[in-house]
Amino acid sequence: SEYFWLVDALDGTKEFITGGEDFTVNIALIYQGEPVMGVVYVPVSEDMYAGYITKEGDKRAIRWTPDRKDDKQITVRPMPAEGVTVMASASHGDRSKLDGFLESFKVKKLMKRGSSLKICVIAEGKADLYPRFGPTCEWDTAAGHAVLSGAGGHVVRYDNHTPLTYGKPIFENPFFIAHAPGIDLQKA
């Protein structure tokens, strides 16, 4: 159908099982293969990220925390001259492939997180790049993808840098790169 919902009631299962804090509830609305609205909720901190993008190109992303009475708009940041901050999975992925990919970039910091929070950290302007060289399903990424799009970022396929789409057979994602604008993927 043109529209469908993708829900992950527990993203970051390993984090949850080990007593970590990086697990989320992800809900995304997909329209013609594109995530147009998404919510990422963090049960431990009660933080919530949300984002949308309209057919007309209007977009917005917010972060809500329980200590604030209102939400805070979030956006990706410009490329820092001192080097990029890279997000990596705390428990998944191919480290040698990640290291090879990052050789083309000036890396200031590598941060490891669980669940879709890796994408939300980019949307919030606290990181710049998240290359994923490991298996994921569409429900793992769609809500974070919508938040990042609403904040001005992108999620693209690793192999050809075209936008990551949703509604594929068996709902598996290829390797992908979530990033803020200004990342030169051609050199990687």
Side-chain angles (χ1 to χ4, degrees):
S1 96
E2 270 191 308
Y3 287 96
F4 68 95
W5 292 96
L6 272 174
V7 177
D8 190 349
L10 180 59
D11 183 30
T13 310
K14 285 187 180 184
E15 280 287 314
F16 177 78
I17 291 170
T18 61
E21 298 183 0
D22 282 356
F23 60 91
T24 60
V25 176
N26 302 338
I27 303 169
L29 178 62
I30 309 300
Y31 173 69
Q32 294 183 343
E34 180 184 353
V36 294
M37 183 174 61
V39 175
V40 175
Y41 178 69
V42 188
V44 172
S45 65
E46 297 182 351
D47 291 359
M48 182 178 66
Y49 297 86
Y52 70 86
I53 187 163
T54 67
K55 293 180 212 174
E56 295 79 22
D58 296 329
K59 57 187 171 184
R60 185 165 191 245
I62 60 107
R63 179 178 181 190
W64 181 88
T65 59
D67 59 333
R68 294 178 54 96
K69 297 261 188 260
D70 57 354
D71 55 41
K72 175 186 172 195
Q73 186 166 350
I74 57 174
T75 61
V76 294
R77 67 183 181 185
M79 280 303 98
E82 66 273 7
V84 296
T85 297
V86 178
M87 299 304 301
S89 176
S91 55
H92 300 285
D94 182 333
R95 182 59 196 239
S96 62
K97 189 159 183 74
L98 175 64
D99 290 343
F101 175 80
L102 293 177
E103 286 177 0
S104 304
F105 296 93
K106 181 179 176 183
V107 177
K108 178 183 176 188
K109 185 177 185 181
L110 178 69
M111 297 183 350
K112 293 186 176 186
R113 298 289 303 263
S115 75
S116 57
L117 287 172
K118 295 177 288 292
I119 299 173
C120 292
V121 171
I122 297 170
E124 196 171 7
K126 294 182 178 178
D128 311 292
L129 178 64
Y130 168 41
R132 178 58 184 240
F133 304 116
T136 59
C137 292
E138 293 182 0
W139 49 81
D140 296 318
T141 58
H145 186 160
V147 171
L148 183 56
S149 294
H154 310 282
V155 181
V156 298
R157 294 173 57 106
Y158 170 71
D159 58 358
N160 61 14
H161 304 158
T162 60
L164 188 63
T165 58
Y166 296 82
K168 298 177 290 297
I170 65 175
F171 295 95
E172 288 183 337
N173 285 326
F175 293 168
F176 65 87
I177 304 165
H179 66 93
I183 294 282
D184 184 2
L185 296 178
Q186 301 308 318
K187 67 180 183 179

